[in-house]
Amino acid sequence: AQSVTQLGSHVSVSEGALVLLRCNYSSSVPPYLFWYVQYPNQGLQLLLKYTTGATLVKGINGFEAEFKKSETSFHLTKPSAHMSDAAEYFCAVRRGEGNQGGKLIFGQGTELSVKP
Amino acid sequence: KAGVTQTPRYLIKTRGQQVTLSCSPISGHRSVSWYQQTPGQGLQFLFEYFSETQRNKGNFPGRFSGRQFSNSRSEMNVSTLELGDSALYLCASSLAERARISNYGYTFGSGTRLTVV
């Protein structure tokens, strides 16, 4: 079975500081990995995804994530936080084979607060 | 290009009633998935439709059902509503292909906030 664990349900950083949101997954096959962001009363917006190829993935709004197979991790980073980054972030995994269709398995989410 | 459109945005229903939610995917997307989001359980997969066929189903009771039309628009229905069905219901569309996992991402709508009283 596949699962996703996000370490820390709430992370607080100062504006301009490094953002690091942690995600570990379990999967018996090569995973497809995603990070989504959710602003209050909104749906989910895709930040970035890893399917195959380069393990360092760049996304929107200055975010990036690195797929580390040996550590089963896919942590999300941003060098300098902005106030507008305050939101909830979700890591998700999907199987990379078989006719599993569009089932995403989400972590519990990490709420990011940015202090002025 | 229009995004994923979900209607209505908000609904208030009484226990025992039924409700139908609608989702219009991005033009050209044939895969539509539904998710339930609650504070306690987080985001949980309900089902996925591809070309009018249910391709995948989550672990929800039979009160939850859905369908997809020939234009890829999808509806989900919840019958005999319970208080625990109060949630944000999210729809996502994708350029998924028929016979294999694609590496496309999923575009989510803004959701329908259902409150059961």
Side-chain angles (χ1 to χ4, degrees):
Chain A
Q2 293 170 301
S3 67
V4 177
T5 302
Q6 292 183 239
L7 299 177
S9 59
H10 187 238
V11 170
S12 181
V13 301
S14 297
E15 192 173 20
L18 171 71
V19 175
L20 171 60
L21 304 182
R22 299 177 189 273
C23 173
N24 288 90
Y25 68 90
S26 68
S27 176
S28 57
V29 297
Y32 289 174
L33 295 161
F34 304 80
W35 274 101
Y36 284 90
V37 60
Q38 186 176 36
Y39 298 99
N41 297 316
Q42 295 291 321
L44 302 175
Q45 181 182 9
L46 180 66
L47 282 174
L48 49 80
K49 62 182 171 81
Y50 169 79
T51 53
T52 58
T55 56
L56 182 62
V57 181
K58 295 188 184 300
I60 62 171
N61 301 339
F63 284 94
E64 62 182 37
E66 186 171 9
F67 169 63
K68 291 187 176 180
K69 184 178 178 180
S70 61
E71 299 177 7
T72 60
S73 69
F74 191 56
H75 302 329
L76 182 71
T77 60
K78 182 174 180 177
S80 176
H82 294 166
M83 296 296 292
S84 60
D85 294 328
E88 188 151 22
Y89 292 78
F90 293 93
C91 181
V93 65
R94 190 184 72 191
R95 279 187 66 124
E97 64 178 283
N99 190 18
Q100 293 292 308
K103 179 179 179 178
L104 289 173
I105 299 167
F106 286 91
Q108 286 299 306
T110 297
E111 186 177 353
L112 175 66
S113 300
V114 182
K115 298 175 291 186
Chain B
K1 194 173 186 181
V4 178
T5 303
Q6 290 189 247
T7 56
R9 284 297 310 273
Y10 301 93
L11 267 178
I12 300 177
K13 290 287 188 178
T14 305
R15 273 182 303 174
Q17 287 187 311
Q18 75 158 11
V19 67
T20 299
L21 313 181
S22 179
C23 172
S24 293
I26 291 173
S27 178
H29 286 194
R30 293 192 291 168
S31 167
V32 173
S33 304
W34 289 88
Y35 291 82
Q36 182 196 64
Q37 185 178 25
T38 60
Q41 299 298 315
L43 282 152
Q44 293 187 290
F45 173 78
L46 280 156
F47 26 65
E48 185 216 8
Y49 287 88
F50 183 89
S51 292
E52 303 178 66
T53 301
Q54 188 181 87
R55 188 160 71 167
N56 209 352
K57 189 177 190 306
N59 189 24
F60 278 81
R63 300 185 297 107
F64 291 82
S65 63
R67 58 178 176 170
Q68 187 179 33
F69 302 95
S70 59
N71 62 357
S72 294
R73 189 177 71 86
S74 177
E75 290 181 345
M76 67 163 282
N77 184 77
V78 188
S79 62
T80 320
L81 283 166
E82 301 176 358
L83 295 179
D85 297 333
S86 295
L88 179 66
Y89 289 89
L90 293 165
C91 167
S93 76
S94 173
L95 270 170
E97 298 172 15
R98 179 175 297 279
R100 68 179 185 91
I101 296 293
S102 70
N103 61 2
Y104 298 111
Y106 296 86
T107 302
F108 281 81
S110 296
T112 295
R113 174 77 61 186
L114 172 65
T115 302
V116 182
V117 297

